[in-house]
Amino acid sequence: DLVAAHLRRFLASATPDATPDGTRLDSHAADRARNRQVVERFFQALEAKDLTAFLDAWAEDGVQVMPFAPKDFPSRLEGKAAIRTQYG
């Protein structure tokens, strides 16, 4: 998952290894839970138009591909600076 790969450091302090009731998760379940958190935070930041939180989700060399971009809209953004410029 592209988003999860770039956001692991963003969520390092919130890596779940147990459920709220303290039940331990196996490594696959923990990965799924962590990936879900990454995606939820990403879309929450996007929906809230929180540019700072949104950009925190991207690696410096992140790439956003938009295959269905409208005419006169970029179909690819390369690097955090390009993403910042587009969404800023």
Side-chain angles (χ1 to χ4, degrees):
D1 178 4
L2 179 62
V3 174
H6 290 295
L7 296 179
R8 287 197 188 274
R9 65 180 164 73
F10 177 68
L11 294 176
S13 63
T15 301
D17 61 358
T19 62
D21 68 2
T23 305
R24 301 282 302 166
L25 298 173
D26 66 50
S27 63
H28 294 294
D31 286 344
R32 285 191 302 274
R34 182 174 33 260
N35 289 345
R36 183 178 180 99
Q37 280 185 338
V38 169
V39 172
E40 287 175 356
R41 282 183 154 178
F42 176 83
F43 284 113
Q44 287 168 353
L46 185 61
E47 184 178 340
K49 298 179 183 173
D50 182 344
L51 186 59
T52 300
F54 175 74
L55 290 171
D56 283 346
W58 291 92
E60 290 300 323
D61 61 349
V63 175
Q64 181 178 12
V65 178
M66 298 163 285
F68 303 108
K71 184 179 178 185
D72 299 325
F73 195 84
S75 60
R76 183 178 178 95
L77 300 172
E78 294 191 35
K80 191 181 230 180
I83 294 166
R84 179 184 297 111
T85 299
Q86 182 65 35
Y87 285 92

